[in-house]
């Protein structure tokens, strides 16, 4: 299975409540809703869990239980409650219409690049759509609302989580597990390994890949509009792609600052990668990650503008390891704790 969740837990976490809803024609599972109604929490946060390619929302149930179980054992739960939501990505599980569209070039899908990007772009769009209406389904008889949204994605879900983070201002934090923010880089690496004619027949190799039948011009335009790395740094041959090697000029800062402020200001990011991952290598997103790190370094051009924790795990391939689960749970707790600490306190009488 791509982006395996097997082995993420040595023992299954204790279950939490779950309820099914149909929102905008999409079947979603909400975890932890009963616990919210049993608590005195004044606010509610939602953790959106986006599953890997070739899997379904059901594989995220143990992760939902682990994250909610940890938070519900903490003292701060009385101030802010947490629910989790899963749903099948487009063309997966209950929404599958074409099995081949979920496969790669090597498995006979000649439209792999178009299919994968459009599917997880659709997932990011669906997440925002569901975010708009979720409160009205969960709390129809009260004015309670979801006040904080965190997105966690694994593999294909991780790619989508990057888009959610960049495109929806309601997303305060994202945990990206074995995902990539740079589609041009990821698919160029995959085209090279798949020995596609558009890669091998050009000189130098790969120079004719973008705009070829395997990566059509229409897809190039879509990636430029929605892919985080391309939005920020441009196409692979753009000078901004070298930002990880130096400080941006004043002219470059004038280009970057408005976009970074709009997409990342005040947000929190946890990026978890397997050092032995060959399907989504860390190197494919490294340039973009290094650019973000450089932006928020002390005294840099966007110092303190957002939070980024970037971890690689030795010996881990394309899977979510138990150590990644531990980091995820702690990051979620820290994010919620910050919200509790920032909330105004009631006056003492």
């Amino acid at each position: 299975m791509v982006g395996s969740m097997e082995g993420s837990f040595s023992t299954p976490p204790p279950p939490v409540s779950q309820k099914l809803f149909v929102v905008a024609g999409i079947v979603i599972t909400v975890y932890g809703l009963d616990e919210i109604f049993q608590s005195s929490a004044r606010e509610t946060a939602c953790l959106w869990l986006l599953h890997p390619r070739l899997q379904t929302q059901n594989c995220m149930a143990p992760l939902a239980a682990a994250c909610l179980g940890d938070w519900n054992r903490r003292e701060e739960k009385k101030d802010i409650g947490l629910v989790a939501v899963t749903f099948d990505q487009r063309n997966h599980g209950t929404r599958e219409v074409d099995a081949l569209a979920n496969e790669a070039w090597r498995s006979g899908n000649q439209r792999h690049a178009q299919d994968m990007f459009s599917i997880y772009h659709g997932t990011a769009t669906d997440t925002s759509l569901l975010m708009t209406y979720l409160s009205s389904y969960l709390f129809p008889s009260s004015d309670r609302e979801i006040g904080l949204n965190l997105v966690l994605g694994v593999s294909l879900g991780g790619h989508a989580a990057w888009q959610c983070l960049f495109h929806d201002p309601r997303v305060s934090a994202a945990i990206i597990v074995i995902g990539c923010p740079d589609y041009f880089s990821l698919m160029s690496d995959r085209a090279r390994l798949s020995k596609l004619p558009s890669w091998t027949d050009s000189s130098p190799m790969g120079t004719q890949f973008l705009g070829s039948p395997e990566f059509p011009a229409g897809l190039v335009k879509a990636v430029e509009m929605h892919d985080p790395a391309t939005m920020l740094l441009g196409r692979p041959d753009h000078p901004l792609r070298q930002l990880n090697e130096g400080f941006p000029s004043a002219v470059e800062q004038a280009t970057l600052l408005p976009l970074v402020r709009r997409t990342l200001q005040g947000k929190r990011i946890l990026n978890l990668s397997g050092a032995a991952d060959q399907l989504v290598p860390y190197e494919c997103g490294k340039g973009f990650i290094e650019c973000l790190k450089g932006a928020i370094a002390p005294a840099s051009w966007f110092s303190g503008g957002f939070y980024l924790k970037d971890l690689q795990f030795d010996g881990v391939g394309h899977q979510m390891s138990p150590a990644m689960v531990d980091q995820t749970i702690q990051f979620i707790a820290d994010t919620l704790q910050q919200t509790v600490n920032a909330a105004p306190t009631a006056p003492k009488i």
Side-chain angles (χ1 to χ4, degrees):
M1 301 292 282
V2 176
S4 178
M5 300 294 292
E6 295 179 7
S8 297
F9 300 92
S10 55
T11 58
V16 295
S17 68
Q18 54 182 284
K19 293 184 181 297
L20 293 179
F21 293 84
V22 179
V23 181
I26 301 172
V27 178
I28 70 171
T29 304
V30 180
Y31 296 87
L33 187 59
D34 288 350
E35 291 82 344
I36 289 289
F37 289 124
Q38 294 166 7
S39 75
S40 60
R42 300 186 302 272
E43 295 186 58
T44 305
C46 183
L47 174 64
W48 299 85
L49 299 173
L50 311 180
H51 67 77
R53 182 164 65 95
L54 301 180
Q55 299 196 34
T56 71
Q57 63 166 311
N58 295 336
C59 76
M60 305 300 279
L63 190 56
C67 295
L68 270 60
D70 174 81
W71 181 250
N72 288 339
R73 288 189 294 271
R74 295 175 182 259
E75 176 67 19
E76 295 83 2
K77 72 173 183 179
K78 70 179 187 300
D79 297 306
I80 182 168
L82 179 64
V83 296
V85 172
T86 63
F87 61 94
D88 288 332
Q89 292 211 48
R90 296 191 183 198
N91 202 44
H92 286 72
T94 58
R95 306 173 74 186
E96 183 179 275
V97 293
D98 181 3
L100 182 61
N102 292 330
E103 300 291 345
W105 286 308
R106 285 178 170 177
S107 299
N109 181 14
Q110 298 303 309
R111 292 191 292 267
H112 174 44
Q114 302 98 302
D115 285 337
M116 189 164 78
F117 191 81
S118 61
I119 284 172
Y120 78 75
H121 174 210
T123 296
T125 301
D126 288 342
T127 303
S128 291
L129 175 67
L130 293 169
M131 206 176 288
T132 298
Y133 294 101
L134 184 65
S135 294
S136 68
Y137 282 80
L138 302 191
F139 314 119
S141 301
S142 72
D143 57 0
R144 185 193 293 258
E145 295 183 349
I146 304 295
L148 182 71
N149 290 281
L150 302 84
V151 177
L152 187 163
V154 181
S155 189
L156 184 72
H159 309 335
W162 272 116
Q163 288 200 11
C164 292
L165 181 74
F166 258 64
H167 291 283
D168 198 319
R170 296 170 295 182
V171 175
S172 301
I175 303 102
I176 296 96
V177 184
I178 55 175
C180 185
D182 190 341
Y183 199 64
F184 282 146
S185 178
L186 177 63
M187 299 310 282
S188 293
D189 182 68
R190 200 166 290 183
R192 175 183 62 84
L193 293 173
S194 299
K195 297 181 171 60
L196 295 184
S198 57
W199 186 273
T200 58
D201 294 348
S202 55
S203 181
M205 282 198 298
T207 53
Q208 301 302 314
F209 172 58
L210 298 184
S212 72
E214 288 85 8
F215 207 109
L219 178 59
V220 172
K221 292 180 180 179
V223 172
E224 289 177 329
M225 291 173 61
H226 302 289
D227 181 66
T230 309
M231 288 173 60
L232 191 64
L233 304 177
R235 293 192 185 189
D237 58 351
H238 196 286
L240 285 174
R241 287 277 178 170
Q242 307 305 316
L243 273 184
N244 59 307
E245 300 177 4
F247 200 80
S249 67
V251 173
E252 290 168 337
Q253 286 186 47
T255 300
L256 292 169
L257 276 171
L259 178 60
V260 175
R261 285 198 182 102
R262 176 170 61 83
T263 57
L264 295 177
Q265 178 76 53
K267 297 190 176 187
R268 290 171 52 82
I269 310 166
L270 176 64
N271 189 55
L272 305 176
S273 306
D277 191 343
Q278 297 182 358
L279 186 63
V280 182
Y282 177 78
E283 290 296 319
C284 289
K286 182 179 179 180
F288 176 74
I289 296 296
E290 291 300 319
C291 174
L292 295 186
K293 289 179 180 178
I296 57 174
S300 190
W301 57 279
F302 203 62
S303 180
F306 57 89
Y307 174 86
L308 168 63
K309 186 174 185 178
D310 177 40
L311 298 174
Q312 294 185 68
F313 295 79
D314 292 337
V316 176
H318 197 62
Q319 64 185 97
M320 187 174 191
S321 68
M324 290 179 176
V325 173
D326 292 342
Q327 288 287 337
T328 293
I329 290 173
Q330 187 59 54
F331 179 84
I332 292 169
D334 291 344
T335 301
L336 296 175
Q337 179 65 64
Q338 284 193 7
T339 301
V340 171
N341 293 342
T345 58
K348 295 181 180 180
I349 300 177

